[in-house]
């Protein structure tokens, strides 16, 4: 089933979202004020149009109301991003995802009702920082200000042991939600307490940041 998306702003971020949605077979309306950007997406998106998204009349003419999910990826021009989001909201778009430029921008976007605010540079920066601090942290997904999901490469302190003998839940307050094994990264999404952790395994752990951090310090 094809779903309808619109991507407003075809910079590196919006362009990448548009490309990937299209590659996955989704219907995408691509919008940018710059002709060269729009031309770049003519053969990629279902429709690519030169338009200024801050113009309400233009948004209506494009039939944006019929689109389920709009991604606002206008970068530098924070004012245009906020105004566009506000109008999309007023037009009753069901789901609006907006790229924020900074924390103030993010606050305003949430206030005016953006359903999802993303901050790719900041979030990727955090991920990279975590993986730099510990080369065993393979991935880091922030769930809230103080909870995360991390992927941790099994260290030699863990290999050969089981969840029950490490007593992870009791000792660290974290849950191992999955174990990925071997080269193929075959994934076991409900590991048994008696499951033995093998060399090359990756643990996917959910918990409070302070608990995960304790786990990392002692077992990674
Ligand atoms: P990235 O970092 O993802 O490359 P950016 O955050 O630096 O992008 P910009 O290059 O500032 O973002 O803007 C992204 C795109 O948004 C640009 O291609 C720009 O032409 C487009 N854009 C800016 N204002 C509007 C607008 N009012 N309506 C539609 N598109 C717009
Ligand atoms: P609990 O008494 O903590 O509810 P349980 O009765 O479910 O545990 P088991 O499932 O046998 O007992 O697990 C025993 C212990 O093994 C748990 O207390 C926990 O410390 C650890 N453990 C088991 N599964 C996990 C998991 N997925 N993540 C983290 N720790 C686990
Ligand atoms: Ca940028």
């Amino acid at each position: 089933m094809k779903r309808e998306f619109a991507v407003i702003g075809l910079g590196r971020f919006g362009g990448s979202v548009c490309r990937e949605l299209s590659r996955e077979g989704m219907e995408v309306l691509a919008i940018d004020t710059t002709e060269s950007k729009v031309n770049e997406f003519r053969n990629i998106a279902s429709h690519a149009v030169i338009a200024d998204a801050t113009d309400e009349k233009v948004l209506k003419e494009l039939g944006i109301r019929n689109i389920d999910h709009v991604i606002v990826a206008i970068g530098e021009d924070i004012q245009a991003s906020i105004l566009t989001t506000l109008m999309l909201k007023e037009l009753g778009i069901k789901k609006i995802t907006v790229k924020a430029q900074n924390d103030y921008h993010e606050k305003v976007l949430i206030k005016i009702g953006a359903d999802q605010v993303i901050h790719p540079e900041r979030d990727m920066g955090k991920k990279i920082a975590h993986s730099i601090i510990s080369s065993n942290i393979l991935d880091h997904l922030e769930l809230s200000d103080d909870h995360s999901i991390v992927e941790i490469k099994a260290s030699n302190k863990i290999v050969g042991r089981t969840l029950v003998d490490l007593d992870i839940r009791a000792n660290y307050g974290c849950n191992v939600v999955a174990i990925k094994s071997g080269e193929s990264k075959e994934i076991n999404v409900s590991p048994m307490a008696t499951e033995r952790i093998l060399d090359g395994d990756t643990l996917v752990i959910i918990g409070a940041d302070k608990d995960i951090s304790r786990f990392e310090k002692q077992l990674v």
Side-chain angles (χ1 to χ4, degrees):
M1 190 192 65
K2 285 196 174 183
R3 282 192 292 162
E4 290 228 313
F5 295 92
V7 176
I8 301 175
L10 303 169
R12 281 167 302 174
F13 178 75
S16 167
V17 171
C18 181
R19 237 174 258 282
E20 199 61 18
L21 287 172
S22 305
R23 211 179 54 82
E24 291 286 335
M26 302 295 160
E27 290 270 350
V28 185
L29 167 63
I31 302 169
D32 202 291
T33 38
T34 312
E35 185 176 4
S36 60
K37 287 281 174 197
V38 174
N39 285 337
E40 208 185 303
F41 286 86
R42 287 214 191 282
N43 298 321
I44 297 167
S46 336
H47 312 275
V49 293
I50 305 166
D52 181 349
T54 61
D55 187 336
E56 188 170 9
K57 195 163 143 269
V58 168
L59 285 182
K60 282 184 179 160
E61 279 167 10
L62 287 172
I64 206 108
R65 272 192 208 167
N66 302 320
I67 291 177
D68 300 327
H69 189 164
V70 179
I71 296 98
V72 182
I74 297 174
E76 314 287 288
D77 192 347
I78 292 179
Q79 189 176 322
S81 160
I82 292 170
L83 190 54
T84 301
T85 305
L86 192 59
M87 284 186 313
L88 292 170
K89 192 73 194 170
E90 282 175 353
L91 288 169
I93 303 297
K94 275 195 234 112
K95 178 135 197 216
I96 309 170
T97 297
V98 192
K99 176 187 162 176
Q101 207 59 8
N102 57 50
D103 293 346
Y104 302 108
H105 186 195
E106 176 167 7
K107 258 196 181 158
V108 174
L109 292 171
I110 291 168
K111 204 84 180 172
I112 62 179
D115 300 286
Q116 186 184 27
V117 178
I118 40 174
H119 215 137
E121 291 92 348
R122 184 193 61 191
D123 296 347
M124 189 50 87
K126 281 191 184 177
K127 271 189 205 221
I128 300 296
H130 281 276
S131 68
I132 290 170
I133 293 169
S134 163
S135 57
N136 286 320
I137 306 291
L138 305 178
D139 205 352
H140 179 266
L141 173 69
E142 202 172 294
L143 297 176
S144 72
D145 283 347
D146 44 20
H147 288 79
S148 304
I149 294 180
V150 294
E151 284 193 10
I152 299 182
K153 203 154 75 181
S155 69
N156 52 17
K157 290 184 191 162
I158 297 179
V159 169
R161 308 196 48 190
T162 62
L163 298 178
V164 61
D165 86 63
L166 291 166
D167 209 1
I168 294 175
R169 205 176 291 140
N171 286 334
Y172 301 97
C174 306
N175 270 294
V176 176
V177 290
I179 299 180
K180 295 188 194 176
S181 314
E183 285 287 297
S184 56
K185 292 283 168 242
E186 195 179 310
I187 187 157
N188 174 0
V189 291
S190 51
M192 304 268 284
T194 51
E195 182 112 353
R196 201 162 292 281
I197 299 159
L198 305 174
D199 196 21
D201 280 3
T202 300
L203 306 186
V204 183
I205 300 179
I206 185 167
D209 292 336
K210 61 170 176 38
D211 293 331
I212 294 175
S213 163
R214 218 152 37 83
F215 178 91
E216 280 174 41
K217 288 208 180 85
Q218 296 176 23
L219 293 180
V220 178

